[in-house]
Amino acid sequence: MYMIRFILVCITVIGYLILSIPILIAEWIIGKFSPMTKQISSLRIIQSVFRFILWITGVKVTVIGEENVPKDTPVLYIGNHRSYFDILLTYSRCPIRTGYIAKKEMERYPLLSNWMRNLHCLFLDRNDLKQGLKTILEAVQKIKSGISICIFPEGTRNTSESELDMLPFHEGSFKIATKTKCPIIPIAMNNTAEIFEAHFPKMKPCHVILEYGKPIYPEELTKEEAKHLGAYTQNIILEMLKKNQELV
């Protein structure tokens, strides 16, 4: 049964990407007349697909603190990163248009990258500081135009044995918040590696905790906290992870 779930997820992802070609064309046409309609419809379509995939995996999700997420203003989501499914878990709950910052290697996959661009995703070259800064500035413009941004500032999936042993947060990504004065929403995800990565290639039903912390406003922090905003946010996420381990 566990392998069947994996196969069904693969069929769903590949099948959707192929069958969505006419939808991409329709979205492109809609975008010529009403860009906002296209952006909202793309968001809702992909959210529905992600929720269906999560249903196939059998994961049970307990959500805490969702009331902390503003529904009328863009935010910078910051989360820990243990699984590919972190993206599905969080994106399926975004109330407004939201773009994720992904590694540049994702740009090479046709159809997938088309949908990612429709969803305001940005591609970050982790080996080129100049291009990395350009991506951060693009994210700043997204926030200013009313689009939330989500980033996992560990820079890659954390494969440490303990989910509490996070990789250092890259401070550069927090410029998105300091330059726009948008709130930072910390996200703590417990047990997401148990969906897939912990027993690749099997997918096992498990219990995941997804908690949204209270908004962080950089301008309201002390000078020292603001100077190390990445570490400050990471500590908040760590405390949520510790608290929620007993709930898994």
Side-chain angles (χ1 to χ4, degrees), residues 169-182:
F169 278 15
H170 295 290
E171 294 281 347
S173 56
F174 289 84
K175 294 183 184 298
I176 299 168
T178 56
K179 287 182 177 295
T180 61
K181 293 183 169 51
C182 75

Side-chain angles (χ1 to χ4, degrees), residues 2-227:
Y2 298 149
M3 278 303 299
I4 292 175
R5 291 181 190 275
F6 172 72
I7 294 169
L8 287 175
V9 167
C10 290
I11 291 173
T12 300
V13 172
I14 296 171
Y16 174 76
L17 288 175
I18 295 173
L19 295 176
S20 71
I21 294 175
I23 301 176
L24 278 170
I25 295 172
E27 291 283 85
W28 178 79
I29 295 172
I30 292 170
K32 291 294 182 181
F33 298 95
S34 177
M36 182 63 75
T37 300
K38 170 196 172 183
Q39 293 169 30
I40 296 298
S41 62
S42 291
L43 168 67
R44 301 309 178 203
I45 288 169
I46 295 303
Q47 285 182 323
S48 296
V49 173
F50 282 0
R51 284 192 289 266
F52 179 68
I53 292 173
L54 289 170
W55 176 78
I56 293 175
T57 67
V59 65
K60 176 187 175 184
V61 184
T62 295
V63 181
I64 302 171
E66 198 160 20
E67 68 277 3
N68 290 322
V69 181
K71 295 177 174 56
D72 57 356
T73 187
V75 303
L76 175 64
Y77 294 103
I78 295 290
N80 62 309
H81 192 26
R82 297 275 290 173
S83 171
Y84 292 117
F85 284 90
D86 296 340
I87 298 165
L88 283 72
L89 288 160
T90 53
Y91 196 76
S92 60
R93 311 194 73 87
C94 292
I96 65 173
R97 296 172 298 159
T98 304
Y100 278 51
I101 294 185
K103 58 184 180 181
K104 188 171 179 61
E105 290 80 356
M106 299 297 294
E107 199 171 16
R108 71 179 66 158
Y109 301 109
L111 298 180
L112 176 60
S113 59
N114 292 95
W115 275 109
M116 292 177 73
R117 290 191 188 92
N118 273 11
L119 299 169
H120 299 285
C121 290
L122 300 172
F123 300 96
L124 177 66
D125 188 342
R126 294 172 292 184
N127 299 315
D128 188 326
L129 288 177
K130 184 177 179 180
Q131 287 300 315
L133 177 59
K134 182 180 177 182
T135 301
I136 295 299
L137 294 176
E138 288 175 354
V140 167
Q141 293 306 311
K142 294 285 187 186
I143 293 280
K144 289 181 176 179
S145 64
I147 300 162
S148 292
I149 291 293
C150 181
I151 188 167
F152 301 118
E154 289 174 277
T156 187
R157 280 186 305 111
N158 181 2
T159 58
S160 301
E161 185 174 345
S162 170
E163 64 187 3
L164 301 181
D165 186 18
M166 286 184 283
L167 301 172
F169 278 15
H170 295 290
E171 294 281 347
S173 56
F174 289 84
K175 294 183 184 298
I176 299 168
T178 56
K179 287 182 177 295
T180 61
K181 293 183 169 51
C182 75
I184 297 170
I185 302 296
I187 305 175
M189 289 174 280
N190 290 79
N191 212 38
T192 58
E194 284 299 317
I195 301 174
F196 178 56
E197 284 79 5
H199 31 69
F200 173 85
K202 298 177 181 179
M203 287 184 180
K204 295 184 178 182
C206 66
H207 184 203
V208 167
I209 308 296
L210 170 61
E211 179 170 6
Y212 297 93
K214 292 182 179 180
I216 301 169
Y217 295 90
E219 66 272 19
E220 295 179 1
L221 301 179
T222 67
K223 186 175 181 180
E224 188 64 23
E225 289 169 341
K227 183 179 179 181

